[in-house]
Amino acid sequence: EQLVESGGGLVQPGGSLRLSCQASGRAFGDYAMGWFRQAPGKEREYVAALSRSGGVANYADSVKGRFSISRDNAQSTAFLQMDSLKPEDTAVYLCAARSSAYSGTYFPDQNDYDYWGQGTQVTVSS
């Protein structure tokens, strides 16, 4: 499974961005998805995760109420809608995928993922 992120960029505080994660494998619907981020000099951290069905989502406390994870299995794409962005959201955002036997399970631990994209830079600054 190959993953390619897009949609990053420079945005002012309070603005919005929508990140996309395009998968190239044949069985996207079998994969649970996650978004993580890594700021300069910091450890990679969890942002959001979504079950393979898309019916169960989970968020880090730092983004809850501002970010929304979703997926379009027909398009083999996962999304991260980011609203009310703050300077502390500045980071490289990476999507990740792993196969899941259960349609309603999500995975917040980065060590659970098998496939990773290269990342897309998000910069929040005035």
Side-chain angles (χ1 to χ4, degrees):
E1 188 82 7
Q2 287 189 318
L3 306 174
V4 178
E5 301 95 337
S6 62
L10 173 64
V11 63
Q12 292 186 341
S16 298
L17 282 175
R18 189 191 196 204
L19 305 183
S20 298
C21 174
Q22 179 71 54
S24 61
R26 297 184 298 168
F28 182 72
D30 291 343
Y31 291 86
M33 302 298 295
W35 284 96
F36 296 80
R37 66 187 182 187
Q38 188 164 18
K42 294 188 177 181
E43 296 289 319
R44 183 181 297 176
E45 67 173 0
Y46 169 68
V47 175
L50 188 64
S51 64
R52 73 177 201 191
S53 69
V56 183
N58 180 264
Y59 300 91
D61 287 343
S62 59
V63 306
K64 199 171 294 183
R66 299 188 298 121
F67 290 12
S68 178
I69 187 172
S70 62
R71 65 191 297 158
D72 183 339
N73 285 351
Q75 298 296 323
S76 297
T77 305
F79 304 97
L80 185 68
Q81 177 66 41
M82 306 186 296
D83 299 320
S84 302
L85 282 161
K86 305 175 181 180
E88 51 264 44
D89 294 319
T90 295
V92 174
Y93 283 72
L94 305 101
C95 68
R98 62 153 288 159
S99 60
S100 175
Y102 303 101
S103 61
T105 303
Y106 61 85
F107 300 89
D109 187 341
Q110 60 181 296
N111 295 313
D112 287 330
Y113 288 89
D114 300 311
Y115 305 99
W116 290 84
Q118 293 298 309
T120 184
Q121 176 70 46
V122 171
T123 303
V124 185
S125 175
S126 55

Short mmCIF file of all heavy atoms in Angstrom, two decimals, residues 5 11 22-23 29-30 33 38 47 55-56 58 61 67 73 83 85 89 94-95 100 105 112 116 124:
data_model
loop_
_atom_site.label_atom_id
_atom_site.label_comp_id
_atom_site.label_asym_id
_atom_site.label_seq_id
_atom_site.Cartn_x
_atom_site.Cartn_y
_atom_site.Cartn_z
N GLU A 5 0.25 12.02 0.61
CA GLU A 5 -0.50 13.12 1.21
C GLU A 5 -0.43 14.37 0.32
O GLU A 5 0.54 14.57 -0.41
CB GLU A 5 0.06 13.49 2.59
CG GLU A 5 0.06 12.36 3.60
CD GLU A 5 1.37 11.63 3.66
OE1 GLU A 5 2.11 11.67 2.64
OE2 GLU A 5 1.67 11.01 4.69
N VAL A 11 -1.14 28.82 6.18
CA VAL A 11 -2.47 29.36 6.49
C VAL A 11 -2.36 30.24 7.73
O VAL A 11 -1.51 30.00 8.59
CB VAL A 11 -3.49 28.21 6.70
CG1 VAL A 11 -3.10 27.35 7.89
CG2 VAL A 11 -4.90 28.74 6.83
N GLN A 22 -4.03 9.80 -0.52
CA GLN A 22 -4.41 8.92 -1.61
C GLN A 22 -3.66 7.61 -1.49
O GLN A 22 -2.44 7.58 -1.44
CB GLN A 22 -4.11 9.56 -2.96
CG GLN A 22 -4.44 8.71 -4.16
CD GLN A 22 -5.93 8.57 -4.35
OE1 GLN A 22 -6.65 9.56 -4.44
NE2 GLN A 22 -6.42 7.34 -4.42
N ALA A 23 -4.41 6.50 -1.46
CA ALA A 23 -3.81 5.17 -1.38
C ALA A 23 -3.84 4.51 -2.74
O ALA A 23 -4.77 4.70 -3.52
CB ALA A 23 -4.57 4.33 -0.36
N GLY A 29 -10.51 -0.43 1.53
CA GLY A 29 -11.56 -0.63 2.51
C GLY A 29 -11.20 -1.59 3.63
O GLY A 29 -11.91 -1.67 4.63
N ASP A 30 -10.11 -2.31 3.49
CA ASP A 30 -9.65 -3.23 4.53
C ASP A 30 -8.72 -2.56 5.54
O ASP A 30 -8.29 -3.20 6.50
CB ASP A 30 -8.91 -4.42 3.92
CG ASP A 30 -9.84 -5.34 3.15
OD1 ASP A 30 -11.07 -5.24 3.35
OD2 ASP A 30 -9.34 -6.13 2.33
N MET A 33 -7.21 3.80 9.11
CA MET A 33 -6.33 4.92 8.76
C MET A 33 -6.04 5.79 9.98
O MET A 33 -6.84 5.87 10.92
CB MET A 33 -7.00 5.78 7.69
CG MET A 33 -7.34 5.05 6.41
SD MET A 33 -5.88 4.38 5.57
CE MET A 33 -5.04 5.92 5.14
N GLN A 38 4.44 15.70 13.03
CA GLN A 38 5.73 15.86 13.66
C GLN A 38 6.24 17.27 13.42
O GLN A 38 6.43 17.68 12.27
CB GLN A 38 6.74 14.84 13.13
CG GLN A 38 8.05 14.84 13.88
CD GLN A 38 8.88 13.60 13.64
OE1 GLN A 38 8.67 12.88 12.67
NE2 GLN A 38 9.83 13.34 14.53
N VAL A 47 -2.75 12.34 15.89
CA VAL A 47 -3.74 13.37 15.61
C VAL A 47 -5.15 12.78 15.60
O VAL A 47 -6.03 13.23 16.33
CB VAL A 47 -3.46 14.07 14.27
CG1 VAL A 47 -4.56 15.07 13.93
CG2 VAL A 47 -2.10 14.76 14.30
N GLY A 55 -16.86 4.44 10.30
CA GLY A 55 -17.91 4.73 11.26
C GLY A 55 -17.44 5.11 12.65
O GLY A 55 -18.21 5.63 13.45
N VAL A 56 -16.17 4.84 12.95
CA VAL A 56 -15.64 5.14 14.28
C VAL A 56 -14.38 5.97 14.14
O VAL A 56 -13.43 5.57 13.46
CB VAL A 56 -15.33 3.84 15.06
CG1 VAL A 56 -14.84 4.20 16.47
CG2 VAL A 56 -16.56 2.95 15.14
N ASN A 58 -11.53 8.77 16.22
CA ASN A 58 -10.96 9.15 17.52
C ASN A 58 -9.97 10.29 17.27
O ASN A 58 -9.33 10.34 16.21
CB ASN A 58 -10.26 7.95 18.15
CG ASN A 58 -9.64 8.28 19.49
OD1 ASN A 58 -8.47 8.58 19.61
ND2 ASN A 58 -10.47 8.23 20.52
N ASP A 61 -6.68 14.98 22.13
CA ASP A 61 -7.35 16.07 22.85
C ASP A 61 -7.00 17.43 22.26
O ASP A 61 -7.84 18.34 22.25
CB ASP A 61 -6.96 16.04 24.32
CG ASP A 61 -7.60 14.88 25.07
OD1 ASP A 61 -8.58 14.30 24.54
OD2 ASP A 61 -7.12 14.56 26.16
N PHE A 67 -10.61 19.36 14.32
CA PHE A 67 -10.23 18.51 13.19
C PHE A 67 -11.28 17.42 13.00
O PHE A 67 -11.91 16.98 13.96
CB PHE A 67 -8.89 17.85 13.43
CG PHE A 67 -7.69 18.77 13.39
CD1 PHE A 67 -7.83 20.15 13.40
CD2 PHE A 67 -6.41 18.24 13.36
CE1 PHE A 67 -6.73 20.98 13.37
CE2 PHE A 67 -5.29 19.05 13.32
CZ PHE A 67 -5.45 20.43 13.33
N ASN A 73 -13.98 5.39 0.55
CA ASN A 73 -13.40 4.11 0.15
C ASN A 73 -13.45 3.92 -1.37
O ASN A 73 -12.58 3.25 -1.93
CB ASN A 73 -14.10 2.96 0.86
CG ASN A 73 -13.66 2.85 2.32
OD1 ASN A 73 -12.73 3.51 2.77
ND2 ASN A 73 -14.37 2.02 3.08
N ASP A 83 -9.83 22.83 10.98
CA ASP A 83 -10.42 24.16 11.16
C ASP A 83 -9.84 24.83 12.40
O ASP A 83 -9.24 24.17 13.25
CB ASP A 83 -11.93 24.05 11.28
CG ASP A 83 -12.58 23.44 10.05
OD1 ASP A 83 -12.15 23.77 8.93
OD2 ASP A 83 -13.52 22.64 10.21
N LEU A 85 -7.30 26.64 12.91
CA LEU A 85 -5.89 26.26 13.06
C LEU A 85 -5.14 27.24 13.95
O LEU A 85 -5.42 28.45 13.95
CB LEU A 85 -5.23 26.16 11.68
CG LEU A 85 -5.57 24.87 10.93
CD1 LEU A 85 -5.30 25.01 9.44
CD2 LEU A 85 -4.79 23.71 11.50
N ASP A 89 -0.25 24.02 15.63
CA ASP A 89 -0.58 22.92 14.71
C ASP A 89 0.46 22.79 13.60
O ASP A 89 0.39 21.84 12.81
CB ASP A 89 -1.95 23.15 14.07
CG ASP A 89 -3.08 23.09 15.07
OD1 ASP A 89 -3.05 22.21 15.95
OD2 ASP A 89 -4.00 23.94 14.98
N LEU A 94 1.42 13.31 8.50
CA LEU A 94 1.59 12.03 7.81
C LEU A 94 0.35 11.17 7.99
O LEU A 94 -0.21 11.11 9.09
CB LEU A 94 2.80 11.28 8.36
CG LEU A 94 4.13 12.04 8.36
CD1 LEU A 94 4.43 12.56 9.77
CD2 LEU A 94 5.25 11.13 7.90
N CYS A 95 -0.04 10.50 6.93
CA CYS A 95 -1.11 9.52 7.08
C CYS A 95 -0.49 8.12 7.14
O CYS A 95 0.63 7.89 6.67
CB CYS A 95 -2.12 9.62 5.94
SG CYS A 95 -1.53 9.13 4.33
N SER A 100 -7.12 -4.22 9.02
CA SER A 100 -7.89 -4.42 10.23
C SER A 100 -8.96 -5.46 9.98
O SER A 100 -9.71 -5.38 9.02
CB SER A 100 -8.53 -3.10 10.67
OG SER A 100 -9.39 -3.30 11.78
N THR A 105 -12.84 -0.77 14.46
CA THR A 105 -11.67 -0.55 15.30
C THR A 105 -10.78 0.54 14.74
O THR A 105 -10.53 0.57 13.54
CB THR A 105 -10.87 -1.85 15.43
OG1 THR A 105 -11.71 -2.88 15.95
CG2 THR A 105 -9.69 -1.66 16.39
N ASP A 112 1.26 0.64 15.55
CA ASP A 112 0.31 -0.32 14.98
C ASP A 112 0.21 -0.24 13.46
O ASP A 112 -0.43 -1.09 12.85
CB ASP A 112 -1.08 -0.11 15.57
CG ASP A 112 -1.18 -0.59 17.01
OD1 ASP A 112 -0.47 -1.54 17.37
OD2 ASP A 112 -1.97 0.01 17.77
N TRP A 116 3.11 4.10 5.62
CA TRP A 116 3.19 5.54 5.90
C TRP A 116 3.42 6.32 4.62
O TRP A 116 4.11 5.86 3.70
CB TRP A 116 4.35 5.82 6.85
CG TRP A 116 4.12 5.32 8.23
CD1 TRP A 116 4.35 4.04 8.69
CD2 TRP A 116 3.60 6.06 9.34
NE1 TRP A 116 4.01 3.96 10.02
CE2 TRP A 116 3.55 5.17 10.44
CE3 TRP A 116 3.18 7.37 9.50
CZ2 TRP A 116 3.08 5.58 11.70
CZ3 TRP A 116 2.73 7.77 10.75
CH2 TRP A 116 2.68 6.88 11.82
N VAL A 124 1.12 27.24 10.17
CA VAL A 124 0.10 28.19 10.61
C VAL A 124 0.81 29.41 11.17
O VAL A 124 1.46 29.34 12.22
CB VAL A 124 -0.82 27.56 11.67
CG1 VAL A 124 -1.94 28.54 12.02
CG2 VAL A 124 -1.39 26.25 11.18
#
